[in-house]
Amino acid sequence: MNEFKYRGNELYCEDVLVWRIASEVGTPVYLYSQKTLENHYTAFDSAFSAVPHITCYSVKANSNLSLIKLFSDLGGGLDVVSGGEIFRALRAGASPGKIVYSGVGKTRAEIEYALDFGILMFNVESPQELDLIDSVAGDMGKKARIALRVNPDVDPKTHPYISTGLKENKFGIRIESAMDEYKRAAAMKNIDVAGVDCHIGSQLTETGPFADAIEKVKDFVSALIKEGMDIRYFDIGGGLGITYDKETPPSPVEYANVVIKSIGDLPCTLILEPGRVIVGNAGMLVTRVLFTKKSEDKNFIIVDAGMNDLMRPSLYGAYQGILPLKKNKGDMITADIVGPICETGDFFAKSREVQDFVQDDYLSVESAGAYGFTMASNYNSRPKIAEVLVNETEYFIVRNRETYEDLVKHENVPEHLRKSD
Ligand code: LLP
């Protein structure tokens, strides 16, 4: 379902030759396909059309303003985790009434900002956060709609760094103590108890853990309703995985069928927070071969993108596919694709069978639309790279490449260091 395809030997994004973008915009560059983004969003959202729901795209996966605008225009809500993401939502013209705000460490200023903006709901992750929201809302003369994030202690069977719903994880409130916390919330003057939230992890490739989590939390929701609480929203988070290599995750329809069946007849609007499944395979990172170093026992292909631009392989040992922009008929070799950063962990692929790339060839790192640019840094004083959105036969630079000036624009050298002798 994605729009990155070869015509002959050349890779296209929709109707634009990727090589053309690489040579005109320069590399490294992130490339997104608008049609793929739309297809993925629509496939996901329509899979839930049988039930009342809001698809709140998870901004952390890719927070480019153009993407936020695109999903908002398609009718979606947003899942945000910081004041900065709320600012982006506001700037993109998203409707505040469809925004849910998660995160274990919200500050007073962020809570004020969210209340001012008029978001749909806070997903509260601790008793102290609940107290703070109550007090801030009181100071502002507002009532804050909340859900408590319940930790159901379910193993999502994914990478440990992105598992969140086990009791040893820092997220949410243990299901055993959540009832007491809900009762406390219900008695607070400035709190409107509106929902229940859970999110168990990311890049899940089976439906079982989702079903287990929903079953556990569903009984809890029923118990809350019996207690007389007006639970209108059941937020089940995000987490649906994608194919990076050989994974076979459930399709949105398979996922939706399991979710809808598990939810049963709960009288709640379902909130979904998909990130990766919408944007992951709608983007790639295009990079140029700077040098090749080949020896009998090891081949390195050194490219102009680094772990600072896409850190998933370094951080999680994640697999990302490698494609040439122009296929040649030459031999295949086994090589490490590495970046220019001064760290051995700076790689995109290890011992991978790839085309025998030569200097100045372009290649693309696949499945880089999610947690790519959003996790990029300026490490090694490398300017952040450009982002390009392709729409049919045209392309648009939706984020300019940073300059060297951008690297230092927030720094101040104090007077006493500026003296020359
Ligand atoms: N909702 C909450 C509360 C989350 O914490 C997350 C992701 C999502 C929704 C969206 O999950 P998704 O549908 O994208 O799986 N940097 C890692 C992934 C971190 C995910 C963090 N939370 C990676 O590159 O794999």
Side-chain angles (χ1 to χ4, degrees), residues 1 34-48 53-58 67-68 70-78 98 252 272 274-275 277-279 282:
M1 246 199 353
Q34 182 170 334
K35 204 186 281 175
T36 311
L37 292 164
E38 286 165 353
N39 287 344
H40 287 179
Y41 177 86
T42 309
F44 188 93
D45 188 58
S46 58
F48 288 92
H53 73 280
I54 312 175
T55 300
C56 293
Y57 165 67
S58 191
L67 271 62
I68 299 177
L70 181 73
F71 299 132
S72 299
D73 286 353
L74 289 170
L78 299 171
K98 286 188 190 166
L272 306 143
V277 68
I278 311 280
V279 293

Coordinates of all heavy atoms in Angstrom, one line a residue, residues 1 34-48 53-58 67-68 70-78 98 252 272 274-275 277-279 282:
M1 N 0.8 -1.2 0.0 CA 0.0 0.0 0.0 C 0.8 1.3 0.0 O 0.4 2.3 0.3 CB -0.9 0.0 1.3 CG -2.3 -0.1 0.9 SD -3.5 0.4 2.1 CE -2.8 0.8 3.6
Q34 N 2.5 11.7 0.2 CA 1.2 12.2 0.7 C 0.1 11.2 0.5 O -0.7 10.9 1.4 CB 0.8 13.5 0.0 CG -0.5 14.1 0.5 CD -0.8 15.5 0.1 OE1 0.1 16.2 -0.3 NE2 -2.1 15.8 0.0
K35 N 0.2 10.6 -0.7 CA -0.9 9.6 -1.0 C -0.8 8.4 0.0 O -1.8 7.9 0.4 CB -0.7 9.1 -2.5 CG -2.0 8.5 -3.0 CD -1.9 7.9 -4.4 CE -1.8 8.9 -5.5 NZ -1.5 8.3 -6.8
T36 N 0.5 8.0 0.3 CA 0.6 6.8 1.2 C 0.1 7.2 2.6 O -0.6 6.5 3.3 CB 2.1 6.4 1.3 OG1 2.6 6.3 -0.1 CG2 2.3 5.1 2.0
L37 N 0.5 8.5 3.0 CA 0.0 8.9 4.3 C -1.5 8.9 4.4 O -2.1 8.4 5.3 CB 0.5 10.4 4.6 CG 2.0 10.5 4.8 CD1 2.4 12.0 4.7 CD2 2.5 9.9 6.1
E38 N -2.1 9.4 3.3 CA -3.6 9.5 3.3 C -4.2 8.1 3.3 O -5.2 7.8 4.0 CB -4.1 10.2 2.0 CG -3.9 11.7 2.1 CD -4.0 12.5 0.8 OE1 -4.1 11.8 -0.3 OE2 -4.0 13.7 0.8
N39 N -3.6 7.2 2.4 CA -4.1 5.8 2.4 C -4.0 5.1 3.7 O -5.0 4.5 4.2 CB -3.3 5.0 1.4 CG -3.6 5.3 -0.1 OD1 -4.6 6.0 -0.3 ND2 -2.7 4.9 -1.0
H40 N -2.9 5.3 4.4 CA -2.7 4.6 5.7 C -3.7 5.2 6.7 O -4.3 4.4 7.5 CB -1.3 4.8 6.2 CG -0.3 4.0 5.4 ND1 1.1 4.0 5.7 CD2 -0.4 3.1 4.4 CE1 1.7 3.2 4.9 NE2 0.8 2.7 4.1
Y41 N -3.8 6.5 6.7 CA -4.8 7.1 7.7 C -6.2 6.6 7.4 O -6.9 6.2 8.4 CB -4.7 8.6 7.6 CG -5.7 9.2 8.6 CD1 -5.4 9.4 9.9 CD2 -7.0 9.5 8.2 CE1 -6.3 9.9 10.8 CE2 -8.0 9.9 9.1 CZ -7.6 10.1 10.4 OH -8.5 10.6 11.3
T42 N -6.6 6.6 6.2 CA -8.0 6.3 5.8 C -8.2 4.8 6.1 O -9.3 4.4 6.6 CB -8.2 6.6 4.4 OG1 -7.8 8.0 4.2 CG2 -9.7 6.5 4.0
A43 N -7.2 3.9 5.8 CA -7.4 2.5 6.0 C -7.6 2.3 7.5 O -8.4 1.5 7.9 CB -6.2 1.7 5.5
F44 N -6.8 2.9 8.3 CA -6.9 2.7 9.7 C -8.3 3.3 10.3 O -9.0 2.6 11.0 CB -5.7 3.5 10.5 CG -5.7 3.1 11.9 CD1 -4.9 2.1 12.4 CD2 -6.4 3.9 12.8 CE1 -4.8 1.8 13.7 CE2 -6.4 3.5 14.2 CZ -5.6 2.5 14.6
D45 N -8.6 4.5 9.9 CA -9.8 5.1 10.5 C -11.0 4.4 10.0 O -11.9 4.2 10.8 CB -9.8 6.6 10.0 CG -10.9 7.4 10.7 OD1 -10.9 7.4 11.9 OD2 -11.8 7.9 10.0
S46 N -11.1 4.0 8.7 CA -12.3 3.4 8.3 C -12.5 2.0 8.8 O -13.6 1.4 8.8 CB -12.4 3.4 6.7 OG -11.3 2.7 6.2
A47 N -11.4 1.3 9.3 CA -11.5 0.0 9.9 C -12.4 0.1 11.1 O -12.9 -0.9 11.6 CB -10.1 -0.6 10.2
F48 N -12.5 1.3 11.7 CA -13.3 1.4 12.9 C -14.6 2.1 12.7 O -15.3 2.5 13.6 CB -12.5 2.2 14.0 CG -11.3 1.5 14.6 CD1 -10.1 1.5 14.0 CD2 -11.5 0.6 15.7 CE1 -9.0 0.8 14.5 CE2 -10.5 -0.1 16.2 CZ -9.2 0.0 15.6
H53 N -15.8 6.5 17.3 CA -14.3 6.5 17.6 C -13.7 7.8 17.2 O -14.3 8.6 16.3 CB -13.6 5.4 16.9 CG -13.5 5.6 15.4 ND1 -14.6 5.3 14.5 CD2 -12.5 6.0 14.6 CE1 -14.2 5.6 13.3 NE2 -12.9 6.0 13.3
I54 N -12.5 8.1 17.7 CA -11.7 9.3 17.2 C -10.3 8.7 17.0 O -9.7 8.1 17.9 CB -11.6 10.4 18.2 CG1 -13.0 10.8 18.8 CG2 -10.9 11.6 17.6 CD1 -12.9 11.9 19.8
T55 N -9.8 8.9 15.8 CA -8.4 8.4 15.5 C -7.5 9.6 15.8 O -7.5 10.6 15.1 CB -8.3 8.0 14.0 OG1 -9.2 6.9 13.8 CG2 -6.9 7.6 13.7
C56 N -6.8 9.5 16.9 CA -5.9 10.6 17.3 C -4.5 10.2 16.9 O -3.8 9.5 17.7 CB -6.0 10.8 18.8 SG -7.6 11.4 19.4
Y57 N -4.0 10.7 15.8 CA -2.7 10.5 15.3 C -1.6 10.9 16.3 O -1.7 12.0 16.9 CB -2.5 11.2 14.0 CG -1.0 11.3 13.6 CD1 -0.3 10.1 13.2 CD2 -0.3 12.5 13.6 CE1 1.0 10.2 12.9 CE2 1.0 12.5 13.3 CZ 1.7 11.4 12.9 OH 3.0 11.4 12.6
S58 N -0.7 10.0 16.6 CA 0.3 10.2 17.6 C 1.4 11.0 17.1 O 2.3 10.6 16.3 CB 0.8 8.8 18.1 OG 1.6 9.0 19.3
L67 N 2.2 17.3 8.0 CA 1.6 16.0 8.3 C 0.5 16.2 9.3 O -0.6 15.6 9.1 CB 2.6 15.0 8.8 CG 3.3 14.1 7.7 CD1 4.1 15.0 6.7 CD2 4.2 13.0 8.2
I68 N 0.7 17.0 10.3 CA -0.4 17.2 11.3 C -1.6 17.8 10.6 O -2.7 17.5 10.8 CB 0.1 18.1 12.4 CG1 1.3 17.5 13.2 CG2 -1.0 18.5 13.4 CD1 1.9 18.3 14.3
L70 N -2.4 17.6 7.4 CA -3.0 16.6 6.5 C -4.0 15.7 7.3 O -5.1 15.5 6.9 CB -1.9 15.8 5.9 CG -2.2 14.7 4.9 CD1 -2.7 15.3 3.6 CD2 -1.0 13.8 4.7
F71 N -3.5 15.2 8.5 CA -4.4 14.3 9.2 C -5.5 15.0 9.8 O -6.6 14.5 10.0 CB -3.6 13.5 10.3 CG -2.5 12.7 9.7 CD1 -1.2 12.7 10.2 CD2 -2.7 11.8 8.6 CE1 -0.2 11.9 9.7 CE2 -1.7 11.0 8.1 CZ -0.4 11.1 8.6
S72 N -5.3 16.3 10.3 CA -6.4 17.0 10.8 C -7.5 17.3 9.8 O -8.7 17.2 10.0 CB -5.9 18.4 11.4 OG -5.0 18.2 12.4
D73 N -7.0 17.6 8.6 CA -8.0 17.8 7.5 C -8.7 16.6 7.1 O -9.8 16.7 6.6 CB -7.2 18.4 6.2 CG -6.8 19.8 6.4 OD1 -7.2 20.4 7.4 OD2 -6.1 20.3 5.5
L74 N -8.2 15.4 7.4 CA -8.9 14.2 7.1 C -9.9 13.9 8.2 O -10.5 12.8 8.3 CB -7.9 13.0 6.9 CG -7.1 13.0 5.6 CD1 -5.9 12.0 5.7 CD2 -7.9 12.8 4.4
G75 N -9.9 14.7 9.2 CA -10.9 14.6 10.3 C -10.4 14.0 11.6 O -11.1 13.7 12.5
G76 N -9.1 13.8 11.6 CA -8.5 13.1 12.7 C -8.2 14.0 13.9 O -8.2 15.2 13.8
G77 N -8.1 13.4 15.1 CA -7.6 14.1 16.3 C -6.1 13.8 16.4 O -5.5 13.3 15.5
L78 N -5.6 14.3 17.6 CA -4.1 14.1 17.8 C -3.9 13.6 19.2 O -4.6 13.9 20.2 CB -3.4 15.4 17.6 CG -3.5 16.1 16.2 CD1 -2.9 17.5 16.3 CD2 -2.8 15.3 15.2
K98 N -10.3 17.5 19.8 CA -10.0 16.1 19.5 C -8.6 15.8 19.9 O -7.9 14.9 19.3 CB -10.1 15.9 18.0 CG -11.6 15.9 17.5 CD -11.5 15.5 16.0 CE -12.9 15.7 15.4 NZ -12.8 15.6 13.9
P252 N -4.9 -3.2 9.6 CA -5.8 -2.4 10.4 C -7.2 -3.0 10.6 O -7.7 -3.0 11.7 CB -5.9 -1.1 9.6 CG -4.6 -1.0 8.9 CD -4.2 -2.4 8.6
L272 N -8.2 6.1 19.6 CA -7.1 5.3 19.1 C -5.9 6.3 18.9 O -6.1 7.4 18.5 CB -7.5 4.7 17.7 CG -8.8 3.8 17.9 CD1 -9.6 3.9 16.6 CD2 -8.4 2.4 18.2
P274 N -2.8 5.8 16.9 CA -1.8 5.2 16.0 C -0.7 6.2 15.6 O -1.0 7.4 15.3 CB -2.6 4.8 14.8 CG -3.7 5.8 14.7 CD -4.0 6.2 16.2
G275 N 0.5 5.8 15.6 CA 1.6 6.6 15.1 C 2.3 5.9 13.9 O 2.1 6.2 12.7
V277 N 2.0 3.1 12.4 CA 1.3 2.4 11.3 C 0.8 3.4 10.3 O 0.6 3.0 9.1 CB 0.1 1.5 11.9 CG1 -1.0 2.4 12.5 CG2 -0.5 0.6 10.9
I278 N 0.7 4.6 10.6 CA 0.2 5.6 9.6 C 1.4 6.2 8.8 O 1.4 6.3 7.6 CB -0.4 6.8 10.3 CG1 -1.5 6.4 11.3 CG2 -1.0 7.8 9.3 CD1 -2.8 6.0 10.8
V279 N 2.5 6.5 9.6 CA 3.6 7.2 8.9 C 4.9 6.4 8.6 O 5.7 6.8 7.7 CB 4.0 8.5 9.7 CG1 2.9 9.5 9.7 CG2 4.4 8.2 11.1
A282 N 5.4 5.3 5.1 CA 5.1 6.4 4.2 C 6.3 7.3 4.0 O 6.2 8.4 3.4 CB 3.9 7.2 4.7

